[in-house]
Amino acid sequence: MPYYRVAGEIPRKRHTRFRAPDGHLYAEELMGEEGFSSDSSLLYHVHPPTAIVKSEGLTDQAAEPGLASNHPLLPRHYRTQDLPAGGDLVLGRQLLVGNDDVRVYVAAANAPSGLYRNSTGDEAIYVRTGTVRLESVYGAIDAAAGDYVIVPRGTIHRWLPGADGPVDALVIEASGHIRPPRRYLSQVGQFLEHAPYCERDLRGPEGPLLAEGEDVPVVVRNRAGLTSLTYAFHPFDVVGWDGCLYPYAFNIADFEPIVKRTHAPPPVHQTFEGPNFVICSFCPRPLDFDPEAVPIPYNHHNVDSDEMMYYVGGDYSARKGSGVGIGSVTLHPSGFTHGPQPGAVEAVIRGLDEGRTSTDETAVMIDTFRPLLLGRAGRSAEDPEYAWSWARAARA
Ligand SMILES: [Fe+2]
């Protein structure tokens, strides 16, 4: 995270004697990225965070014998809104697409998760509907529709859905770190004036939680799979912490769209970057305002990337007539030229003539620089007619 935060009680100097009221020393834990060479936070636990009493291997239900290649090559449309609801936000994930850099799931969670630590990479959870509370060693974040919640690698946490129904979420598991794009930041990490969001838009954890408990299981994901590690003491026994590494939330409605006179390409919507992928937010905004502008995307072929789009709100003009709705995911792979459904451009121009000047479309896009393979859940919710929708509209 680009900026410093402090919560609870900490001593004035790092690595000095910091004692509880009963006289015992609090236990330090440094959570640090890239060895000791990048962002970190220093946490103070009541009990040693090293004390484990049991380790058991778990079967990873989300693991698949093999993601399928996109072969024969096709653009895909997954109706994730048709997938079954249930489970929690960790073990109830349903895999849509993935590769060695990133895996993308949906979940419709209605149960609290157990404690979880993903040691393979950062996660970004985008909440489409519902409310959910993230509790972690750093404290709690309350999230609602439109929130991205970034959970750094190694953070012990759990997800507690609100009482208002299942939490529909897109889950992005990176193989490394998910960060604001480098070009938005100053040399020392402050958001620059041209960035479409800034520090004020990010919500850090409230807390700490100061939980007590003994023999507490934590599901840990590492490269080998899932393990249940039982801790002698509750990992949320933190009295204070400070640093630049912690979970945070950012709401898509706080993204300030960048608009041009004629159509702007997706990099203006970039929100985060990860290893070999980017995350973009398409938000309600004025339509391109040149009198001759074609105000929706032009056909394009991203020769180096696969493009996945999650439709989360509003009316997506470019996909009219394609069967895509709220909750849909489309995959437009390298090797295929994609663009608006035929007729969509004329429809938007007619709308402009009738006085429509803005779009309320809201979508989350992930572009990967290596091909996306197809997960079982995605394949089970596929609309087989999508690939032919451009030709069908063109011939109508
Ligand atoms: Fe595209």
Side-chain angles (χ1 to χ4, degrees), residues 201-263:
D201 300 315
L202 308 180
R203 289 148 34 221
E206 302 292 335
L209 298 170
L210 263 175
E212 290 182 7
E214 295 192 2
D215 295 331
V216 179
V218 177
V219 173
V220 179
R221 175 181 297 283
N222 70 353
R223 297 263 175 243
L226 292 180
T227 298
S228 175
L229 270 189
T230 302
Y231 280 77
F233 305 100
H234 202 299
F236 296 175
D237 65 343
V238 170
V239 296
W241 61 270
D242 75 332
C244 293
L245 181 66
Y246 48 85
Y248 63 94
F250 168 67
N251 195 280
I252 198 166
D254 286 324
F255 187 94
E256 300 303 330
I258 296 166
V259 177
K260 288 175 60 182
R261 196 168 61 184
T262 56
H263 202 69

Side-chain angles (χ1 to χ4, degrees), residues 273-345:
E273 64 186 17
N276 282 325
F277 72 92
V278 299
I279 302 173
C280 299
S281 303
F282 289 76
C283 298
R285 61 192 183 279
L287 287 167
D288 316 318
F289 53 88
D290 188 277
E292 291 297 315
V294 174
I296 56 175
Y298 32 84
N299 300 321
H300 54 285
H301 187 167
N302 302 331
V303 298
D304 294 319
S305 55
D306 280 10
E307 178 185 306
M308 196 217 89
M309 189 82 100
Y310 183 46
Y311 302 83
V312 300
D315 188 11
Y316 215 87
S317 304
R319 293 274 82 80
K320 253 199 174 54
S322 65
V324 167
I326 301 300
S328 288
V329 162
T330 56
L331 171 63
H332 297 143
S334 173
F336 167 72
T337 297
H338 66 278
Q341 257 60 27
V345 171

